[in-house]
Amino acid sequence: MSKGLPKRSEDYSLWYNELVKRADLAENSAVRGCMVIKPYGFSIWEKMQAELDRMFKETGHTNAYFPLFIPKSYLSKEASHVEGFAKECAVVTHYRLKNAEDGSGVIVDPEAKLEEELIVRPTSETVIWSTYKNWIQSYRDLPLLINQWANVVRWEMRTRLFLRTAEFLWQEGHTAHATAEEAKAETLQMMQVYAQFAEEFMALPVIRGRKTENERFAGADDTLCIEAMMQDGKALQAGTSHFLGQNFAKAFDVKFATKEGGLDYVWGTSWGVSTRLMGALIMAHSDDNGLVLPPKLAPNQVVIVPIYRGEAELEAISEKAKEIMMALRSKGISVKFDDRDTHKPGWKFAEYELKGVPVRIAMGPRDLENGTIEIARRDTLTKETFQLSEMPVEEKISSLLEEIQKSIFEKALSFRKEMTTEVNSWEEFQQVLDQKGGFVSAHWDGTSETEDKIKELTKATIRCIPLDRKEESGACVFSGKPSEGRVYFAKAY
Amino acid sequence: MSKGLPKRSEDYSLWYNELVKRADLAENSAVRGCMVIKPYGFSIWEKMQAELDRMFKETGHTNAYFPLFIPKSYLSKEASHVEGFAKECAVVTHYRLKNAEDGSGVIVDPEAKLEEELIVRPTSETVIWSTYKNWIQSYRDLPLLINQWANVVRWEMRTRLFLRTAEFLWQEGHTAHATAEEAKAETLQMMQVYAQFAEEFMALPVIRGRKTENERFAGADDTLCIEAMMQDGKALQAGTSHFLGQNFAKAFDVKFATKEGGLDYVWGTSWGVSTRLMGALIMAHSDDNGLVLPPKLAPNQVVIVPIYRGEAELEAISEKAKEIMMALRSKGISVKFDDRDTHKPGWKFAEYELKGVPVRIAMGPRDLENGTIEIARRDTLTKETFQLSEMPVEEKISSLLEEIQKSIFEKALSFRKEMTTEVNSWEEFQQVLDQKGGFVSAHWDGTSETEDKIKELTKATIRCIPLDRKEESGACVFSGKPSEGRVYFAKAY
Ligand SMILES: [Zn+2]
Ligand SMILES: [Zn+2]
């Protein structure tokens, strides 16, 4: 099955596309830029959703649902928002089809034209703040901490499965607060939730940072983000959390009676992660044999493959395999027993490698005799023979899964460290970007002008101003003007 | 809070609308026909989703996700499907907005017109079967058992919160099988899953039946359904499961290599339930004081309200209340302690009645002295004083919740029985429909002609041919022609 998967070193982009398709994660649909998320891919996304949803609820948020359609005029209400989002939208202009008179099929009924066109939501700030206007009267109604799981549409011209699609799935949190401080604390908290999710569950180390004004969300006063490094040396923005100031409150006239008896505009935040995380997960850890999944997000953590000739052998092995399955499940480990007789063990091994199952157990007649099993790790591709009498198998596997989770993270972390270079001259900057890639840590003079110029010349953008950067005065790597500290540049997805 | 909720007996429809809004379940949005599902309403929907999703997975289904947009031409591929679904659709014709030259806002960019218009999915058979064509080659690829949770849009002219909205949330199962028998068994199984969910979780008794040809899903060879009775005597279709025959396989050319070496079209099913179930849940059980929720779907099963004067009393009560909360939570009971000092106990009582919390516990200083609590049931509005020494409180409440769940079901069941009338003449038919409503069980000659005529004259439709009906020959209540058995007529939502 994995035969012919292109090599990362030869064509990273082709490797990614083929892997996504062959591992049954997603595929392109007949509608340009819209993907089909296949069952195996969706089951990974469901695991992500479940953990994120739990984390949102633990931080006091509840889910709700707002309309798919946004009246066109709403987009214009917040000045910078419309600039950012009105460009590439799916526009609904009619609400009826009818049979063509020549019998050739159905046509749009010209009489069913909408008075005001509707936009398929590219993000929901406008429709949500127009609703919040009715929900918020007093400080007693605050904070309002709401999240929604939804599909959104942005008409991208160049699409890529999971990474950039016209329609994608995401969650968008939208909160309202009585004070700027509280809203800023929420913005920071949710960025930290994303970072924790990425590191603990996706085994993906991320840089916690702040976007420059250029890269800020359209309508936000401040955008925090988490940035990850992919194996090809390109950065990927994995989640953003925005402090909206009072911008949307003013655009939609959302005021509240303060505790002190005054009247003030509400402070807002919004934050989101999307199916793009699937792209990050795939690109960060996988290898030329296929997917590598961190155990905490693997739909099947363990697969057991029997190696046998004839019914009698299979029966004996099955009995033992079922014992092992029961033991593993009692520890909450998900396990699949693949006793299909339609495929050879070698085919199955390749298949589960392609699908990224973290642990493979193989059992043959000799194992049965010796009281052993063969345990193979997907991440390192190493094997060991395990003596079942040594310790309870569920403990063995459970600690192995923990080790794998940790090891995948450590590997990604050392890769990122290796791919992060401090540079101090413009020559060095260009050379590192060209020859090595990765994050380039450099001084910057803080102006959009320099940022734009660097992007134009190198295609690298400022990924973020790291939150934990040390204040260190220096000279901008491009302009030579004074700088207060280093920022991360990179080419990015 | 519940003050002024209209009475069911005076204006059932107004009562429903007001209840949905005041209990924070949903509200209309600025976009015609699209609703906002508010946090409390959404938390009930989430509980429904979780149970249904579990039931789907237990019957072997997996989730996936297919595109929101359907090329217009796809709709035309299945002849009867286009008739049923091409009428009232949201049509995307453009993919870009631009700034108006006069600075008046944004306008649709006429240069960004799509070559082929896209329809926002009203249901996904077409886009899914066009995908299945690539997924199915051989009998080894079958059965394919996939479900999707999604939003869909049908441009309804007269909308009603949850019951009929332009956009709604639902799940749609789409399965593919090697034989007609297997597909029929799946159709039946999923109808039974819906019936079991309705009865066990929603406490909603349903009739399991088959739709007449007239009422069948557009593109199906057979439609099974579950039908429920609302308190105003109108029926509500709560779920449908369709046997699609080979219709979509033929429309999208989905063939498979059979075990025997032949080539045949695949057999299909589809099945769905939607946020309409929320409407059914609300209308079936609620009363003039507000919502009545079955414990299994209540976001909070128990609320504890302290009755106190001053800090010292509150502290003493809180201590005991927290003990009780811990005990209840240890049994998996969800419980909220409402110690807000901004609202009086009476206000809270009314609020939780409006919101349908199944059990309310009140505790005052005298309770503390006596070792008692006051337990109030939402469904019967009865109260009792419970001596805490009598038995562990978690056992008391746990069995009370079970009793409430059962009692709500029993009440709805006897109501439905009461509202089901066998009639044997046309006069009786009309009289019962006019004066009593409910299900009218009558002989029917099996023709669409008679069915149409009855609908025209009385607005009643055949809700279904019950699956468990006894074969009994008789005379059609309208035409007098021979009939093989009774069917259920009713006016319906
Ligand atoms: Zn960043
Ligand atoms: Zn029916």
Side-chain angles (χ1 to χ4, degrees):
Chain A
M1 279 297 280
S2 77
K3 216 175 266 173
L5 194 64
K7 287 197 187 334
R8 284 165 297 169
S9 57
E10 285 169 10
D11 190 338
Y12 190 81
S13 172
L14 185 66
W15 164 81
Y16 174 78
N17 291 342
E18 287 297 305
L19 173 54
V20 170
K21 282 179 228 167
R22 295 199 202 175
D24 283 335
L25 301 173
E27 65 183 37
N28 288 305
S29 79
V31 178
R32 239 193 87 276
C34 291
M35 66 180 158
V36 172
I37 306 179
K38 299 177 79 172
Y40 191 62
F42 202 84
S43 67
I44 300 171
W45 174 241
E46 278 183 316
K47 286 188 105 58
M48 289 190 179
Q49 280 191 296
E51 295 301 339
L52 285 165
D53 199 67
R54 178 186 55 72
M55 292 171 97
F56 299 156
K57 283 172 177 157
E58 282 173 6
T59 44
H61 304 85
T62 53
N63 289 326
Y65 188 76
F66 296 86
L68 173 67
F69 298 128
I70 298 178
K72 193 189 65 180
S73 59
Y74 276 33
L75 279 188
S76 312
K77 292 201 180 187
E78 211 287 327
S80 55
H81 193 67
V82 67
E83 285 305 313
F85 286 101
K87 283 156 199 159
E88 286 162 349
C89 293
V91 186
V92 176
T93 55
H94 290 75
Y95 58 84
R96 201 189 303 134
L97 297 174
K98 63 172 193 175
N99 291 317
E101 278 169 26
D102 62 3
S104 62
V106 285
I107 58 167
V108 177
D109 185 343
E111 283 173 27
K113 193 173 185 318
L114 289 167
E115 260 178 63
E116 180 178 2
E117 296 89 350
L118 297 172
I119 310 307
V120 179
R121 62 181 162 219
T123 182
S124 301
E125 278 77 7
T126 57
V127 69
I128 288 180
W129 281 90
S130 81
T131 308
Y132 281 2
K133 180 177 170 55
N134 302 318
W135 292 4
I136 300 169
Q137 271 84 42
S138 138
Y139 70 93
R140 280 184 225 90
D141 303 321
L142 299 173
L144 193 56
L145 305 172
I146 293 181
N147 176 62
Q148 117 167 325
W149 290 95
N151 53 346
V152 286
V153 173
R154 298 176 188 175
W155 209 267
E156 303 284 353
M157 282 299 140
R158 292 176 47 193
T159 63
R160 196 96 183 273
L161 289 167
F162 289 125
L163 297 171
R164 177 172 280 111
T165 49
E167 182 192 17
F168 56 92
L169 303 183
W170 80 343
Q171 61 66 219
E172 44 182 327
H174 296 271
T175 70
H177 306 264
T179 66
E181 290 62 43
E182 220 188 86
K184 282 178 187 172
E186 167 81 5
T187 309
L188 183 63
Q189 171 185 251
M190 298 322 291
M191 184 276 280
Q192 294 289 12
V193 163
Y194 290 153
Q196 194 193 337
F197 172 76
E199 298 192 335
E200 263 182 39
F201 291 88
M202 297 175 67
L204 186 67
V206 292
I207 292 171
R208 295 146 171 85
R210 164 170 285 122
K211 287 289 182 196
T212 62
E213 208 181 322
N214 261 8
E215 301 279 332
R216 221 176 253 163
F217 176 75
D221 282 355
D222 193 16
T223 289
L224 302 181
C225 63
I226 55 171
E227 298 280 328
M229 181 48 54
M230 301 295 103
Q231 291 181 68
D232 62 346
K234 283 169 82 175
L236 186 145
Q237 172 181 301
T240 48
S241 182
H242 316 293
F243 169 62
L244 303 176
Q246 295 176 314
N247 301 334
F248 284 91
K250 284 180 179 165
F252 289 91
D253 192 33
V254 188
K255 290 180 193 159
F256 72 106
T258 65
K259 224 169 195 165
E260 296 74 30
L263 199 65
D264 196 8
Y265 287 109
V266 169
W267 298 85
T269 85
S270 67
W271 28 275
V273 296
S274 72
T275 35
R276 192 159 215 251
L277 288 181
M278 291 287 295
L281 184 74
I282 298 159
M283 286 204 302
H285 307 308
S286 303
D287 64 24
D288 294 348
N289 295 318
L291 207 55
V292 172
L293 288 175
K296 287 190 185 176
L297 295 178
N300 292 306
Q301 297 174 308
V302 176
V303 62
I304 304 178
V305 178
I307 295 161
Y308 63 96
R309 286 189 203 169
E311 271 303 307
E313 273 186 22
L314 176 60
E315 236 167 75
I317 294 169
S318 294
E319 200 177 315
K320 190 72 197 162
K322 275 167 194 168
E323 257 174 52
I324 293 173
M325 277 205 289
M326 296 299 284
L328 296 183
R329 283 184 185 145
S330 76
K331 271 273 208 182
I333 297 166
S334 58
V335 52
K336 178 178 168 176
F337 179 48
D338 185 353
D339 61 352
R340 287 178 295 172
D341 60 1
T342 45
H343 297 87
K344 297 240 160 81
W347 186 95
K348 291 178 187 174
F349 287 8
E351 171 74 4
Y352 295 114
E353 265 174 33
L354 179 61
K355 294 270 179 88
V357 178
V359 170
R360 181 185 76 219
I361 294 176
M363 292 175 66
R366 190 165 306 165
D367 288 306
L368 220 52
E369 264 171 48
N370 300 341
T372 58
I373 54 176
E374 184 193 79
I375 299 178
R377 272 175 74 153
R378 173 62 187 91
D379 63 328
T380 54
L381 297 169
T382 51
K383 291 183 210 174
E384 64 173 307
T385 299
F386 172 69
Q387 191 72 46
L388 287 163
S389 59
E390 203 183 292
M391 65 162 89
V393 68
E394 65 274 23
E395 278 173 34
K396 169 74 184 169
I397 299 295
S398 174
S399 68
L400 179 59
L401 289 171
E402 271 171 51
E403 192 185 322
I404 293 172
Q405 181 81 30
K406 208 177 139 195
S407 161
I408 293 177
F409 175 81
E410 293 298 338
K411 191 179 168 193
L413 184 60
S414 26
F415 177 76
R416 189 191 74 191
K417 280 183 186 158
E418 202 180 289
M419 294 300 280
T420 303
T421 316
E422 272 199 10
V423 305
N424 294 302
S425 73
W426 179 238
E427 202 189 339
E428 220 186 333
F429 184 103
Q430 288 168 293
Q431 197 181 7
V432 170
L433 257 185
D434 267 11
Q435 289 165 23
K436 180 179 173 188
F439 287 121
V440 177
S441 172
H443 276 287
W444 163 60
D445 62 20
T447 69
S448 293
E449 203 193 337
T450 298
E451 191 181 0
D452 288 340
K453 196 75 196 168
I454 293 177
K455 185 176 177 181
E456 213 181 291
L457 291 169
T458 66
K459 288 186 182 148
T461 49
I462 299 180
R463 299 318 303 156
C464 64
I465 305 160
L467 291 189
D468 62 354
R469 79 165 170 181
K470 57 173 189 278
E471 298 298 313
E472 140 191 307
S473 55
C476 173
V477 79
F478 182 76
S479 70
K481 287 182 197 160
S483 151
E484 285 168 14
R486 291 174 182 276
V487 300
Y488 286 112
F489 287 88
K491 293 182 190 169
Y493 279 97
Chain B
M1 280 299 279
S2 78
K3 215 175 269 172
L5 194 64
K7 288 198 185 333
R8 285 164 296 170
S9 57
E10 286 169 10
D11 190 337
Y12 190 81
S13 173
L14 185 65
W15 165 81
Y16 174 78
N17 291 341
E18 287 296 306
L19 174 53
V20 170
K21 280 178 229 169
R22 295 199 204 175
D24 283 334
L25 301 172
E27 65 183 36
N28 288 304
S29 78
V31 178
R32 243 192 83 276
C34 290
M35 68 181 156
V36 173
I37 306 180
K38 298 177 79 173
Y40 191 62
F42 201 85
S43 66
I44 301 170
W45 174 242
E46 279 183 311
K47 287 189 102 62
M48 290 190 178
Q49 281 190 295
E51 294 302 338
L52 285 165
D53 199 68
R54 179 187 53 73
M55 292 171 97
F56 299 157
K57 283 173 178 159
E58 282 173 9
T59 45
H61 304 85
T62 53
N63 289 326
Y65 188 76
F66 296 87
L68 172 67
F69 298 127
I70 298 178
K72 194 189 64 181
S73 60
Y74 276 33
L75 279 187
S76 312
K77 293 201 178 186
E78 210 288 327
S80 55
H81 192 67
V82 68
E83 286 304 314
F85 285 101
K87 282 157 201 160
E88 288 162 347
C89 292
V91 186
V92 176
T93 55
H94 292 75
Y95 59 83
R96 199 189 305 134
L97 297 174
K98 64 173 193 176
N99 291 316
E101 278 169 26
D102 61 3
S104 63
V106 286
I107 58 168
V108 177
D109 184 346
E111 283 173 27
K113 194 174 186 315
L114 289 167
E115 261 179 63
E116 180 178 4
E117 295 89 350
L118 297 172
I119 311 305
V120 179
R121 63 183 162 217
T123 180
S124 303
E125 277 77 8
T126 56
V127 68
I128 288 179
W129 281 89
S130 81
T131 308
Y132 281 2
K133 180 176 169 54
N134 302 319
W135 292 4
I136 300 169
Q137 271 86 43
S138 138
Y139 70 92
R140 280 186 225 90
D141 302 321
L142 298 172
L144 194 55
L145 304 172
I146 292 181
N147 176 61
Q148 122 169 320
W149 290 95
N151 53 344
V152 287
V153 172
R154 298 175 189 177
W155 210 266
E156 302 285 353
M157 283 298 140
R158 291 176 47 192
T159 64
R160 197 96 182 272
L161 289 166
F162 288 125
L163 297 170
R164 178 172 279 110
T165 48
E167 181 191 17
F168 56 91
L169 302 184
W170 80 344
Q171 62 67 218
E172 45 182 326
H174 296 272
T175 70
H177 305 264
T179 67
E181 291 62 44
E182 219 188 87
K184 283 178 185 171
E186 167 82 4
T187 309
L188 183 63
Q189 171 186 251
M190 298 322 291
M191 186 276 282
Q192 295 289 13
V193 163
Y194 290 153
Q196 193 194 336
F197 171 75
E199 299 191 334
E200 263 182 39
F201 291 89
M202 297 175 65
L204 185 68
V206 292
I207 293 172
R208 295 149 171 81
R210 164 168 284 123
K211 287 288 179 195
T212 62
E213 209 181 322
N214 261 7
E215 302 278 333
R216 222 176 254 163
F217 175 77
D221 282 356
D222 193 15
T223 289
L224 303 181
C225 62
I226 56 172
E227 298 279 330
M229 180 48 54
M230 301 297 102
Q231 291 181 66
D232 63 345
K234 284 169 81 174
L236 186 144
Q237 173 181 300
T240 48
S241 182
H242 316 291
F243 169 62
L244 303 176
Q246 295 175 314
N247 300 335
F248 285 90
K250 283 177 179 164
F252 290 90
D253 193 34
V254 187
K255 291 181 193 161
F256 73 105
T258 65
K259 223 169 194 162
E260 296 74 31
L263 200 63
D264 196 7
Y265 286 109
V266 170
W267 299 85
T269 84
S270 66
W271 29 274
V273 295
S274 73
T275 35
R276 193 158 214 252
L277 288 180
M278 290 287 296
L281 183 75
I282 298 159
M283 286 205 300
H285 307 309
S286 303
D287 63 23
D288 294 348
N289 295 320
L291 207 56
V292 172
L293 288 176
K296 287 189 186 177
L297 295 178
N300 292 306
Q301 296 174 309
V302 177
V303 62
I304 304 178
V305 178
I307 295 162
Y308 64 95
R309 288 191 202 166
E311 272 300 308
E313 273 186 25
L314 176 59
E315 235 166 76
I317 295 169
S318 293
E319 200 177 319
K320 190 72 197 163
K322 275 167 195 169
E323 256 176 51
I324 293 174
M325 278 205 288
M326 296 298 285
L328 296 182
R329 284 186 185 144
S330 76
K331 270 275 208 180
I333 297 167
S334 57
V335 51
K336 177 180 168 175
F337 178 47
D338 185 352
D339 61 352
R340 286 179 295 171
D341 59 2
T342 45
H343 296 87
K344 298 241 159 80
W347 186 95
K348 292 177 186 174
F349 287 8
E351 171 75 6
Y352 295 114
E353 265 174 33
L354 179 61
K355 293 270 178 85
V357 179
V359 171
R360 181 186 74 221
I361 294 175
M363 291 176 68
R366 193 166 304 167
D367 289 306
L368 221 51
E369 264 172 48
N370 300 341
T372 57
I373 53 175
E374 185 192 78
I375 299 178
R377 271 175 74 155
R378 173 62 187 91
D379 63 330
T380 54
L381 297 169
T382 51
K383 290 183 212 175
E384 64 172 306
T385 299
F386 172 69
Q387 191 71 48
L388 286 163
S389 59
E390 203 182 290
M391 66 162 87
V393 67
E394 65 274 22
E395 278 173 35
K396 170 70 183 173
I397 299 294
S398 175
S399 68
L400 179 59
L401 290 170
E402 272 172 48
E403 194 186 319
I404 294 172
Q405 181 81 28
K406 208 176 140 198
S407 163
I408 294 177
F409 177 81
E410 293 298 340
K411 192 179 168 194
L413 184 61
S414 26
F415 177 76
R416 189 190 76 191
K417 280 183 185 157
E418 203 181 288
M419 292 300 281
T420 303
T421 316
E422 272 199 9
V423 305
N424 293 302
S425 73
W426 180 237
E427 204 189 338
E428 220 185 332
F429 184 102
Q430 289 169 295
Q431 199 181 7
V432 169
L433 256 186
D434 268 9
Q435 289 165 22
K436 181 181 173 186
F439 286 122
V440 177
S441 171
H443 277 286
W444 163 60
D445 63 20
T447 69
S448 293
E449 203 192 337
T450 296
E451 192 181 359
D452 288 340
K453 197 76 195 166
I454 292 177
K455 185 176 178 182
E456 212 181 292
L457 292 169
T458 66
K459 289 185 182 150
T461 49
I462 298 180
R463 300 317 304 157
C464 65
I465 305 160
L467 291 189
D468 62 354
R469 78 165 173 182
K470 55 173 191 277
E471 298 298 313
E472 141 192 305
S473 55
C476 174
V477 79
F478 183 77
S479 69
K481 288 182 194 158
S483 151
E484 286 170 13
R486 292 175 181 276
V487 298
Y488 286 112
F489 287 87
K491 292 181 191 168
Y493 279 97

